[in-house]
Amino acid sequence: MALAPAPPRRRPALVTFWRSTIGKKVVMAVTGLMFVAFLFVHMAGNLKVFLGPRHFDDYAAWLRTIGEPVLQNAWYLSIQRVVLLIALVLHVVAAVQLSKRDRQARPVKYAHGQRRKASFATHTMRWGGATLALYLVWHILDLTVGVANQDFRDGQPYHNIVADFQVWWVNLIYIVALLMLGLHINHGFWSAAQTLGITSKTRDRALKTVGSVLAVVITGGFLIVPIAVMAGWVA
């Protein structure tokens, strides 16, 4: 007597969720909002540079003590970096796979003039995301590790920022990346809210406004630092 074939093994729910289109969109939305929250806090911390070297260096040193005595020195920063790296990988992989699915679902290009707004937003998100990924590598090498900063001094973040932004081409890289960041946040915030089901006819305009305000505040908050160094307000 022939044995009945074994029933197919069910995939774990998490795997099924990740492989679905909505699952990837949710992952992108959640990780994107994580980055917005991190960038806002990071931007606020950067503004302490206007209080002078002692305050800014003390703030940077305090970041290494978060979680003590439960966590050892700088453990919090290490954990944060690992979490952000995992979130970044998930965000990028989901974005690439969704873009690939979108192209496969519509192999024939839209007629001229169709989806002009959507195409601009999509291209901004794709190229902006790639630009930001490259800038992130540069930023780590420049102000975290110090490899790309010729006048880097360990434990003196105020000096490193001033030395960095006195170089015009470094400012150019920074400004271009920040403008891309602003566009990314502006479109991405509303897109994330839509994915998570927060939007509605009454909330739509308000959420788009919040996204635009966040984009302007975060971009402007970061931009004011190199502008201040170039103008001699911070030295």
Side-chain angles (χ1 to χ4, degrees):
M1 181 176 178
L3 297 176
R9 293 179 60 185
R10 293 185 61 184
R11 294 174 181 168
L14 197 59
V15 175
T16 302
F17 176 76
W18 167 253
R19 292 187 175 183
S20 68
T21 296
I22 186 61
K24 294 184 189 300
K25 288 184 177 181
V26 169
V27 168
M28 280 195 70
V30 172
T31 54
L33 293 176
M34 281 177 56
F35 291 133
V36 170
F38 167 75
L39 286 167
F40 186 85
V41 174
H42 185 32
M43 177 271 298
N46 274 9
L47 295 178
K48 285 184 174 290
V49 75
F50 290 100
L51 299 177
R54 184 172 66 84
H55 284 87
F56 190 77
D57 289 349
D58 286 348
Y59 165 71
W62 170 78
L63 291 175
R64 295 180 172 274
T65 66
I66 295 177
E68 291 184 353
V70 177
L71 301 177
Q72 297 297 317
N73 183 55
W75 277 23
Y76 168 79
L77 289 178
S78 298
I79 293 170
Q80 177 182 264
R81 287 165 183 164
V82 170
V83 171
L84 289 174
L85 178 61
I86 293 172
L88 178 63
V89 171
L90 290 173
H91 193 84
V92 171
V93 171
V96 171
Q97 292 180 349
L98 284 172
S99 179
K100 184 178 179 181
R101 287 185 181 184
D102 184 54
R103 290 196 302 270
Q104 290 174 341
R106 187 175 291 276
V108 180
K109 293 184 178 180
Y110 289 99
H112 179 70
Q114 288 186 320
R115 293 186 69 208
R116 188 169 298 173
K117 287 187 177 180
S119 296
F120 174 76
T122 302
H123 279 78
T124 298
M125 294 297 285
R126 288 174 182 171
W127 289 107
T131 302
L132 291 172
L134 290 173
Y135 173 73
L136 180 61
V137 175
W138 163 263
H139 185 66
I140 292 172
L141 294 174
D142 187 30
L143 289 174
T144 303
V145 181
V147 174
N149 190 333
Q150 295 182 352
D151 198 15
F152 184 85
R153 297 179 187 176
D154 191 32
Q156 297 185 36
Y158 182 93
H159 166 82
N160 296 335
I161 285 178
V162 173
D164 208 39
F165 293 137
Q166 287 177 342
V167 182
W168 70 268
W169 57 267
V170 171
N171 289 328
L172 183 61
I173 293 173
Y174 195 74
I175 290 170
V176 169
L178 283 174
L179 292 176
M180 288 295 171
L181 175 65
L183 291 172
H184 209 75
I185 293 174
N186 186 42
H187 177 70
F189 182 84
W190 178 81
S191 181
Q194 188 179 45
T195 297
L196 297 176
I198 302 173
T199 56
S200 66
K201 288 184 178 179
T202 55
R203 298 175 184 169
D204 195 52
R205 181 175 295 180
L207 286 167
K208 286 185 177 181
T209 301
V210 171
S212 298
V213 170
L214 277 172
V216 171
V217 170
I218 292 175
T219 303
F222 277 113
L223 273 176
I224 193 64
V225 176
I227 290 173
V229 173
M230 285 188 289
W233 304 333
V234 174

